[in-house]
Amino acid sequence: MQRDLAPTQLWDWLTRKAWPCWLAHGVDWQRRAFHEHLTLDGKHCTAEFRRLRVVTRQIHSFALAHRHGLPRAAEAVELGVDFLRRTARQADGGYAWRFGLDGRVLDQRRDLYDHAFVLLALSAASAVLPSAPLRTLALELDDYLVHRLGHASGGYLESLPPSLPRRQNPHMHLLEARLAAAEAFGDARFLDGAHRLVALFRAHFFQPATGTLVELLDDDLRPLPGPVEPGHHCEWVWLLDWHARLAGQHAAPAQAAALREFVERHGALPAGPLRDSVAPDGTPLSEAARLWPQAERLKSAVLAGTAPLRAAEAAIAPYLREDGLWHERRLADGTLSQEPAPASSLYHLSCALDFVTRRLPAPA
């Protein structure tokens, strides 16, 4: 696509190209599930498995698409929720991690990251399907998270069985899911849980000396050395703003401004896109740039003003194809990869462009 696209053009691409493409080719209507990816040369899926996170992210994306009038999007949401209820949910109240194409469970792992997306999916689906049974599932899931995945040192286990290192990333998406659940269902427990996750961010994830977000932690939530990811900084800027609004605060905390400043100073390649990773002191560690950080940058940028938003739009435009697919990464040599477009990235694009569209003032 052309390099300089206005928000309305990006929105048109999502609503007229991407959503219809993935509804037509990314839904396995026969087996009532979702495809893992689509090849760029024929819109086929070659994966022989399905992941819980793809099911949940597609529910979220198609719930947004339904809200904006895409025909049959509600059927895709219903299909996905049915998969969660009948196939993914297990007797202990948790959700399995990976499945065969026939729905057989291949991996019974209980993954915190993916469970956060189950809660997000249930919240999004409540705008399409009857809310009461989804609320019951959401409450049961939150109980499961607290009682089965809660960690004595604070936060949550990475998975069951437990694994190390612990990561901020699943906690970040659980914050997103609880904010969405608070809006969707109105239960105070979801916002209370969000408050605790923001407190965890302030106490353990945010590093005031560098203005960065630590990615990896030990079992007692002590930071481990390693790179930081500008894309996650952008996600936290958006989430801290969302939390502040739901909590009735006048503005996001100062940590959000520090994260944004770090990204503006150190996050981007000379060509414009956000790098995959940098050192906490800002030293570049990667010349590659995946698609998803560019989408998350849009959320942070629209909160900062017109100039940052225009830069973010220009950075993401080359990734997007006219047929509704995308190039998943910009390689270190500056070329765009030709690998299949993963279904999981539709969530980043849908969420980001919906947020940008809602935050921009209506045309005069």
Side-chain angles (χ1 to χ4, degrees):
M1 296 185 75
Q2 66 188 66
R3 292 191 63 82
D4 191 14
L5 293 180
T8 53
Q9 292 171 295
L10 291 173
W11 181 246
D12 284 347
W13 173 84
L14 177 68
T15 58
R16 298 181 183 181
K17 300 291 182 66
W19 280 343
C21 172
W22 284 88
L23 188 68
H25 302 284
V27 183
D28 188 342
W29 294 103
Q30 182 177 1
R31 290 179 167 175
R32 295 188 59 77
F34 298 110
H35 293 307
E36 280 286 313
H37 61 242
L38 292 176
T39 59
L40 301 188
D41 59 357
K43 298 184 176 70
H44 303 304
C45 181
T46 59
E48 297 183 356
F49 59 86
R50 308 190 198 277
R51 291 180 297 163
L52 178 61
R53 73 184 56 179
V54 166
V55 176
T56 55
R57 286 183 171 197
Q58 295 298 71
I59 291 170
H60 181 271
S61 296
F62 287 123
L64 287 176
H66 170 75
R67 183 190 303 169
H68 293 285
L70 182 68
R72 291 198 77 189
E75 294 179 49
V77 172
E78 185 174 10
L79 175 154
V81 171
D82 187 63
F83 187 96
L84 291 181
R85 286 170 165 160
R86 296 177 181 273
T87 302
R89 192 171 190 268
Q90 303 299 298
D92 68 344
Y95 292 75
W97 187 64
R98 188 172 289 223
F99 313 87
L101 298 183
D102 59 359
R104 178 171 46 93
V105 175
L106 300 180
D107 193 323
Q108 282 280 5
R109 187 180 324 173
R110 305 293 190 261
D111 184 77
L112 175 63
Y113 185 100
D114 285 14
H115 278 66
F117 275 100
V118 174
L119 182 57
L120 183 68
L122 295 172
S123 303
S126 69
V128 181
L129 303 174
S131 179
L134 296 171
R135 174 179 173 271
T136 297
L137 285 173
L139 291 170
E140 291 172 351
L141 174 56
D142 204 55
D143 281 338
Y144 183 89
L145 291 168
V146 171
H147 298 298
R148 298 294 301 276
L149 284 168
H151 194 292
S153 296
Y156 298 87
L157 294 167
E158 187 74 13
S159 62
L160 289 175
S163 63
L164 292 172
R166 299 174 70 186
R167 297 177 298 155
Q168 68 77 24
N169 194 12
H171 294 83
M172 177 184 74
H173 284 297
L174 183 55
L175 172 59
E176 175 188 5
R178 281 183 167 152
L179 292 173
E183 289 189 335
F185 304 118
D187 295 80
R189 67 176 293 170
F190 294 120
L191 189 54
D192 290 342
H195 295 333
R196 292 192 295 273
L197 287 164
V198 170
L200 195 74
F201 160 82
R202 288 171 166 161
H204 296 284
F205 302 156
F206 180 71
Q207 304 299 296
T210 57
T212 60
L213 176 72
V214 68
E215 292 288 343
L216 305 177
L217 305 102
D218 69 11
D219 201 40
D220 294 317
L221 289 177
R222 291 185 293 258
L224 296 174
V228 298
E229 299 188 28
H232 287 155
H233 286 55
C234 293
E235 285 186 272
W236 272 102
V237 169
W238 165 65
L239 287 169
L240 291 170
D241 175 80
W242 187 3
H243 174 261
R245 285 185 283 112
L246 284 192
Q249 300 166 0
H250 294 298
Q255 292 92 339
L259 294 174
R260 182 187 291 116
E261 180 183 357
F262 182 87
V263 171
E264 290 173 353
R265 292 179 60 192
H266 304 294
L269 290 160
L274 289 190
R275 301 176 187 273
D276 287 342
S277 61
V278 300
D281 65 0
T283 301
L285 298 177
S286 172
E287 297 301 309
R290 288 189 63 185
L291 169 72
W292 72 262
Q294 319 316 321
E296 298 305 327
R297 183 184 184 183
L298 289 168
K299 296 178 186 174
S300 174
V302 76
L303 295 170
T306 302
L309 179 59
R310 295 297 286 169
E313 293 158 1
I316 199 172
Y319 291 77
L320 309 179
R321 291 163 46 106
E322 291 291 346
D323 61 0
L325 299 180
W326 49 81
H327 301 280
E328 179 60 15
R329 67 189 77 234
R330 182 188 188 275
L331 304 176
D333 64 3
T335 61
L336 294 170
S337 70
Q338 300 300 310
E339 67 197 276
S344 55
S345 292
L346 185 61
Y347 147 80
H348 289 284
L349 292 161
S350 300
C351 187
L353 292 174
D354 174 72
F355 180 69
V356 169
T357 300
R358 287 188 287 110
R359 287 299 295 246
L360 289 177

